[in-house]
Amino acid sequence: MQPSSSRTSPSSSRTWPSSSRMSPSSPSRSQDTPAAPDALAAPDTLARCGPELSSPDGVEAQTCVLSQGADTWARTYYRNATGEDLTAVLSMMGPQGRTVQMHCVVGADDEPGACDTPKERTAGPAAHYTAVAEFATESGDALLLRSGSNSSGPQGS
């Protein structure tokens, strides 16, 4: 199933374009991937996402753990309406204490964006991975929002 062309955040009337959003409730295939015969088809990308969150300061985010074939990585989708540049740290925690972190620059342009950790070879069940994104002022003196994948297992049917 492909993601819808847009999705409205329950916390606002803004629309997230499909290029920046993935349906957290079902497996999906990237829209950039052309359809291929079954024998050559790329594996579906599975997403385990936490809720869409927003802060009173104007940061919106949703964080997911993504799996495709033998790879797993974390992604956070965000929108920054604070009027100032922010920093974000995206952490993916896996089995046996493995952690991957990515430092992301979040511009003040109020456009939807995304930040990914590098893809890693999945070690153990993908459902054992979780992700957390923390958004803070550039100086790091104020944490504005923490968003997690809440992945207790795959969502959807």
Side-chain angles (χ1 to χ4, degrees), residues 53-114:
L53 301 175
S54 60
S55 75
D57 300 303
V59 180
E60 299 175 15
Q62 182 178 34
T63 301
C64 305
V65 173
L66 305 169
S67 299
Q68 183 181 50
D71 294 325
T72 300
W73 68 101
R75 176 178 294 158
T76 188
Y77 300 99
Y78 60 83
R79 183 185 302 264
N80 175 13
T82 65
E84 63 181 90
D85 289 342
L86 303 176
T87 62
V89 177
L90 175 60
S91 302
M92 179 178 70
M93 290 75 64
Q96 303 166 353
R98 285 184 53 102
T99 300
V100 176
Q101 283 191 333
M102 187 67 164
H103 293 263
C104 314
V105 176
V106 178
D109 54 11
D110 194 23
E111 291 296 319

Side-chain angles (χ1 to χ4, degrees), residues 5-157:
S5 60
S6 65
R7 179 173 174 169
T8 303
S9 168
S11 60
S12 71
S13 61
R14 296 190 176 143
T15 301
W16 301 75
S18 62
S19 62
S20 298
R21 300 291 290 179
M22 210 179 242
S23 172
S25 61
S26 64
S28 63
R29 181 186 317 271
S30 168
Q31 289 184 325
D32 297 334
T33 305
D38 289 343
L40 301 175
D44 285 340
T45 299
L46 302 176
R48 292 177 312 285
C49 300
E52 294 178 13
L53 301 175
S54 60
S55 75
D57 300 303
V59 180
E60 299 175 15
Q62 182 178 34
T63 301
C64 305
V65 173
L66 305 169
S67 299
Q68 183 181 50
D71 294 325
T72 300
W73 68 101
R75 176 178 294 158
T76 188
Y77 300 99
Y78 60 83
R79 183 185 302 264
N80 175 13
T82 65
E84 63 181 90
D85 289 342
L86 303 176
T87 62
V89 177
L90 175 60
S91 302
M92 179 178 70
M93 290 75 64
Q96 303 166 353
R98 285 184 53 102
T99 300
V100 176
Q101 283 191 333
M102 187 67 164
H103 293 263
C104 314
V105 176
V106 178
D109 54 11
D110 194 23
E111 291 296 319
C115 177
D116 291 36
T117 63
K119 292 180 180 181
E120 297 283 326
R121 181 67 115 197
T122 304
H128 290 175
Y129 286 79
T130 58
V132 174
E134 295 180 315
F135 295 83
T137 57
E138 269 195 314
S139 63
D141 62 349
L143 177 64
L144 303 177
L145 183 68
R146 179 177 291 133
S147 170
S149 64
N150 299 346
S151 61
S152 59
Q155 298 175 349
S157 53

